Amino acid sequence: ERGHTILHTVADLFSSPPLLLLTKFAGALLPVSSCSLYINPPPFSHSLSSTTIAPISFQLLSLSLSLDSLHRLPRKDKMVKICCIGAGYVGGPTMAVIALKCPKIEVAVVDISVPRINAWNSDQLPIYEPGLEDVVKECRGRNLFFSTDVEKHVFEADIVFVSVNTPTKTRGLGAGKAADLTYWESAARMIADVSKSDKIVVEKSTVPVKTAEAIEKILTHNSKGIKFQILSNPEFLAEGTAIKDLFNPDRVLIGGRETPEGQKAIQTLKEVYAHWVPEDQILTTNLWSAELSKLAANAFLAQRISSVNAMSALCEATGADVTQVSFAVGKDSRIGPKFLNASVGFGGSCFQKDILNLVYICECNGLPEVAEYWKQVIKINDYQKNRFVNRLVSSMFNTVATKKIAILGFAFKKDTGDTRETPAIDVCKGLLGDKARLSIYDPQVTEDQIQRDLSMKKFDWDHPLHLQPMSPTTVKQVGVVWDAYEATKDAHGLCILTEWDEFKKLDFQRIYDNMQKPAFVFDGRNVVNVDKLREIGFIVYSIGKPLDAWLKDLPAVA
């Protein structure tokens, strides 16, 4: 209870000094000497037989304890409970690391998808991330739990993280750009409905600026007297290194209301992260700054990739080498070397979605020039993927109809099984549009996922799995194999679309011997040794590198 708590207790039994008053309040044994005692005039005479306890008469005591004085009394600590709604790429790893680093905090990850939760409770986790399995196995069943009983764990939690899908809208106002907050709103209404105690609700999903304000209104108008504090705690994880990033984050960002209650909520969440993150790396801002910082960070990173990809096209036209150019540029301490690797294009669940969201927000706030600036980042990314397909088709006598093309790598980057917005989808669809036959190999992506990605409409991937097509239409021109050599056997061309380390170690002489001639390699990640492959006999195209003599004789690719 808040304020002063009045405990009316009849003392049944006292031990020898120090005098102890037995109570179950907060699970504590409270010494009477440390409490403020107010002895009410007895409403009735009550004495106890000397043969039962002691030759003393006891009266009804009214014990008044303030919460502050109670906090100072020796007692059993109450375990803080955290619940995370959404057991995906963000919720699962983040909560697993919190459970590992905070053994006195009980963490429950909940999701309505039964197959996903079953996978989290099995030896085959639903997502691949280096180091994740070890963390989960150490904590699961101790203070980390995965459950489909969403309402139960939300009811019990002190802090509720919300990490649900925020897909791009496909219809209605803002279609193709604005974030669809259907799942977020549904989660907020459920939290308000089942809560019987005050809670801190934390935005973990990437959301538009001012989402917290909307969620706050939903919670407040459905609160039934319960108080909620909304915090924004955006994730800055890079898939493939998520566990490493969680162990040693560049920063943890927490945004909240600039009120005493809001600042108290920020401090509560800050104390969770402070178990392992240095205090100077835990940044606190207002809600809107935290929400916008996430969108801005992803926009800046994507912008760097589009910038170097734009340079790669110019390098091919002039005979420059984009790896040498980016290395020289990255040596400038003001720029730095990260995110300057030219490729077939960026992918993942955040970059395109967040930039489109940013564009929509700019348009809604009367900033068309700013919106147009960020649109160009997406346009260059689409241009790069189209340019790669056009280069491949034009190199192979301007047609790939009925030709077998090996695709090595389907995930959007190495060390993850995530295929959301992977450039491989657009490249494969472009080749399939020209009637090519594809043989795909990726060490972490299943055949079902590949078929699903190639048959789904744009943006459908970001809806929960149970709302996606259960039995995706099988693309007959696509075969999925579990060996790079099988994928390349009898192929006319080979595309590298993910930078898996194993692709650098392949026996390319063996691959060449088993391919149709002339044998083509199209390296969309710049992972192969171009000179060695040309010595073997391959015709090689590598993003942003000086063109093969074969390619120089062909028309320029727009």
Side-chain angles (χ1 to χ4, degrees):
E1 298 291 333
R2 295 181 177 274
H4 285 72
T5 302
I6 308 300
L7 300 179
H8 297 282
T9 307
V10 174
D12 296 308
L13 179 66
F14 287 91
S15 65
S16 57
L19 194 62
L20 292 180
L21 178 62
L22 298 178
T23 175
K24 291 183 178 179
F25 183 69
L29 258 184
L30 304 178
V32 171
S33 58
S34 64
C35 306
S36 300
L37 288 179
Y38 300 91
I39 303 178
N40 287 352
F44 56 85
S45 176
H46 181 71
S47 62
L48 297 173
S49 167
S50 61
T51 59
T52 55
I53 298 180
I56 306 173
S57 293
F58 296 101
Q59 299 177 349
L60 184 67
L61 303 180
S62 292
L63 181 61
S64 178
L65 293 168
S66 72
L67 289 179
D68 290 338
S69 63
L70 175 64
H71 182 70
R72 290 194 295 268
L73 297 176
R75 64 176 199 150
K76 180 182 176 182
D77 287 337
K78 176 179 177 288
M79 177 177 270
V80 174
K81 290 189 176 182
I82 290 176
C83 174
C84 177
I85 303 173
Y89 283 91
V90 174
T94 303
M95 295 302 112
V97 170
I98 287 178
L100 179 71
K101 297 294 187 179
C102 310
K104 291 187 177 181
I105 293 178
E106 182 180 306
V107 180
V109 184
V110 297
D111 201 294
I112 60 175
S113 171
V114 175
R116 179 173 284 269
I117 291 299
N118 288 343
W120 278 111
N121 284 318
S122 72
D123 291 331
Q124 189 67 43
L125 301 185
I127 62 175
Y128 172 74
E129 191 68 44
L132 175 61
E133 186 176 355
D134 293 335
V135 174
V136 170
K137 284 184 176 179
E138 183 169 342
C139 302
R140 191 172 57 196
R142 184 190 69 191
N143 67 322
L144 175 64
F145 305 93
F146 297 93
S147 173
T148 55
D149 196 343
V150 180
E151 294 187 359
K152 171 182 178 291
H153 289 286
V154 169
F155 170 79
E156 294 176 350
D158 303 296
I159 304 173
V160 180
F161 286 82
V162 183
S163 184
V164 297
N165 302 65
T166 51
T168 302
K169 291 184 72 174
T170 56
R171 60 182 65 86
L173 185 65
K177 290 176 286 189
D180 184 346
L181 298 178
T182 300
Y183 306 118
W184 232 113
E185 182 177 341
S186 177
R189 291 183 183 278
M190 183 273 296
I191 292 169
D193 188 48
V194 305
S195 295
K196 303 297 182 204
S197 59
D198 296 353
K199 298 190 188 304
I200 297 171
V201 179
V202 184
E203 292 177 339
K204 203 62 181 170
S205 312
T206 302
V207 293
V209 182
K210 297 286 185 176
T211 297
E213 190 170 55
I215 300 305
E216 196 171 53
K217 288 177 181 177
I218 292 171
L219 291 171
T220 301
H221 284 82
N222 294 276
S223 65
K224 297 171 295 217
I226 293 163
K227 296 184 178 179
F228 297 97
Q229 284 298 321
I230 315 296
L231 300 180
S232 175
N233 177 218
E235 55 83 18
F236 296 101
L237 306 179
E239 288 186 45
T241 58
I243 299 302
K244 178 184 173 185
D245 295 342
L246 285 163
F247 281 177
N248 299 290
D250 291 333
R251 79 288 202 196
V252 171
L253 180 60
I254 305 172
R257 285 284 192 187
E258 294 172 307
T259 62
E261 295 82 6
Q263 293 304 301
K264 185 177 179 181
I266 289 175
Q267 184 60 33
T268 299
L269 186 55
K270 187 175 180 180
E271 287 171 0
V272 172
Y273 285 110
H275 280 81
W276 78 96
V277 181
E279 190 169 346
D280 60 353
Q281 289 173 228
I282 304 176
L283 313 181
T284 60
T285 67
N286 66 33
L287 273 170
W288 327 132
S289 296
E291 289 178 334
L292 185 56
S293 293
K294 169 63 175 177
L295 297 181
N298 281 341
F300 276 49
L301 293 172
Q303 178 197 48
R304 283 175 71 97
I305 297 172
S306 283
S307 294
V308 75
N309 282 343
M311 294 306 302
S312 74
L314 184 58
C315 285
E316 291 171 25
T318 60
D321 186 329
V322 73
T323 57
Q324 295 175 356
V325 172
S326 61
F327 180 78
V329 169
K331 280 295 183 181
D332 188 324
S333 61
R334 297 168 299 175
I335 299 173
K338 293 185 177 180
F339 278 76
L340 289 180
N341 294 320
S343 69
V344 67
F346 60 72
S349 64
C350 290
F351 283 1
Q352 177 165 304
K353 183 177 72 173
D354 288 358
I355 292 174
L356 290 172
N357 196 346
L358 195 61
V359 167
Y360 182 68
I361 292 169
C362 291
E363 290 173 346
C364 290
N365 283 278
L367 302 171
E369 293 83 3
V370 180
E372 197 60 37
Y373 173 81
W374 288 112
K375 276 184 188 176
Q376 290 301 317
V377 175
I378 300 291
K379 288 182 179 179
I380 287 293
N381 196 53
D382 291 338
Y383 163 76
Q384 188 78 338
K385 290 180 283 189
N386 291 333
R387 196 170 71 85
F388 186 85
V389 173
N390 291 342
R391 178 73 75 183
L392 188 155
V393 174
S394 65
S395 300
M396 299 178 69
F397 314 103
N398 217 37
T399 180
V400 290
T402 73
K403 294 177 182 177
K404 179 180 178 180
I405 307 296
I407 305 294
L408 297 190
F410 199 83
F412 84 91
K413 64 186 288 190
K414 72 174 185 176
D415 293 333
T416 181
D418 194 353
T419 61
R420 293 177 292 179
E421 290 291 354
T422 174
I425 294 174
D426 289 326
V427 170
C428 288
K429 285 184 175 180
L431 296 174
L432 290 169
D434 212 318
K435 306 300 182 184
R437 294 184 299 113
L438 306 183
S439 183
I440 303 174
Y441 165 67
D442 187 287
Q444 289 296 332
V445 183
T446 65
E447 179 175 5
D448 178 73
Q449 186 63 53
I450 290 172
Q451 292 286 1
R452 188 185 297 276
D453 287 332
L454 293 178
S455 61
M456 273 195 298
K457 296 177 182 178
K458 193 171 180 65
F459 301 127
D460 278 357
W461 56 266
D462 204 19
H463 290 272
L465 194 60
H466 68 283
L467 295 179
Q468 295 176 13
M470 291 301 293
S471 300
T473 304
T474 300
V475 182
K476 294 180 180 178
Q477 299 156 264
V478 174
V480 179
V481 297
W482 286 97
D483 176 70
Y485 298 105
E486 180 65 27
T488 56
K489 187 177 180 181
D490 294 323
H492 291 260
L494 158 61
C495 297
I496 299 175
L497 300 183
T498 310
E499 69 280 18
W500 288 102
D501 291 337
E502 66 180 80
F503 297 158
K504 301 175 185 178
K505 304 170 187 176
L506 292 173
D507 182 347
F508 282 99
Q509 182 65 59
R510 174 184 169 186
I511 289 173
Y512 178 80
D513 292 342
N514 289 310
M515 285 179 67
Q516 299 287 334
K517 308 298 185 297
F520 295 86
V521 171
F522 301 93
D523 184 3
R525 296 290 181 173
N526 286 347
V527 298
V528 301
N529 185 318
V530 174
D531 293 335
K532 283 188 177 181
L533 264 60
R534 285 177 179 155
E535 286 176 12
I536 291 172
F538 285 106
I539 296 167
V540 183
Y541 167 68
S542 197
I543 296 275
K545 298 289 186 76
L547 294 177
D548 193 292
W550 176 288
L551 302 175
K552 285 181 181 177
D553 297 333
L554 298 173
V557 177

